[in-house]
Amino acid sequence: MADTNKIAKLDKDNWQQFDIQFRAKLTLKGQAKALDQHGHEDSDMVKALLALHVCDQHLLLIDAADDSKAAYDALKRLYVSDTQARKLQLRRELTNLSKQPDESIAVYFNRAKHLEHRLVAAGLDVQDFPLTFLGGLPESYEMLVTVLTVGVDK
């Protein structure tokens, strides 16, 4: 039987999506506890599945881990870091956030929300995020931006 539960491979900016989908897949298979317990009986199977769902740059990290929990924890540390370098990187992404010319508003919104979630996970303030999002829209959205921001300062 073909696997109908497709998961995008873990790459540089989709940890949250990957985490939710990979845990859901393991839950359906009855193997989710292997991510939370060292030496779980399903650890080898889950570690193998993990290797199949990450980009090549992570394979050595997974292979070197003692079990699936250690591998998953190592991946999580890479993506959910609150180090100063990570915070600086996220702030730069926020500063440069703008809708690309060939990007739909829905894709821009989803990309911005993903960045917002990563900022929150790193412990950064996102209070002005809606204004930053609106500020990243091109001039063709100026009327919408004006309408949405009229009452912001009141």
Side-chain angles (χ1 to χ4, degrees):
M1 184 166 95
D3 186 1
T4 58
N5 302 314
K6 300 286 183 196
I7 297 175
K9 284 191 173 197
L10 176 61
D11 204 349
K12 64 181 179 177
D13 63 355
N14 68 336
W15 169 258
Q16 290 173 325
Q17 173 190 358
F18 175 81
D19 182 44
I20 292 166
Q21 290 179 335
F22 193 73
R23 284 185 178 276
K25 182 174 192 154
L26 292 181
T27 298
L28 290 173
K29 292 175 166 278
Q31 299 172 323
K33 289 185 179 182
L35 294 180
D36 301 321
Q37 299 172 358
H38 286 290
H40 189 275
E41 64 182 303
D42 292 326
S43 185
D44 288 341
M45 180 70 77
V46 170
K47 192 173 163 185
L49 280 171
L50 194 54
L52 294 173
H53 288 90
V54 299
C55 289
D56 293 345
Q57 71 260 28
H58 301 307
L59 292 176
L60 292 176
L61 183 138
I62 292 169
D63 188 54
D66 291 335
D67 58 27
S68 58
K69 178 175 175 28
Y72 209 73
D73 288 350
L75 287 170
K76 186 174 182 176
R77 277 191 303 276
L78 287 175
Y79 290 96
V80 186
S81 170
D82 61 357
T83 64
Q84 292 301 319
R86 176 73 172 149
K87 288 178 180 179
L88 178 60
Q89 174 197 359
L90 292 170
R91 282 285 178 204
R92 284 184 176 153
E93 285 183 45
L94 180 61
T95 299
N96 295 322
L97 181 65
S98 64
K99 182 184 171 300
Q100 302 303 308
D102 61 339
E103 188 175 44
S104 73
I105 190 71
V107 170
Y108 172 60
F109 177 79
N110 287 332
R111 187 166 56 86
K113 287 302 284 181
H114 181 68
L115 175 58
E116 180 183 32
H117 290 284
R118 289 172 27 225
L119 289 161
V120 169
L124 294 170
D125 180 28
V126 293
Q127 184 176 353
D128 291 336
F129 193 83
L131 295 175
T132 302
F133 171 81
L134 292 173
L137 292 171
E139 286 186 29
S140 59
Y141 288 86
E142 198 60 38
M143 181 61 78
L144 174 65
V145 171
T146 301
V147 169
L148 291 174
T149 58
V150 163
V152 170
D153 291 332
K154 292 181 180 180

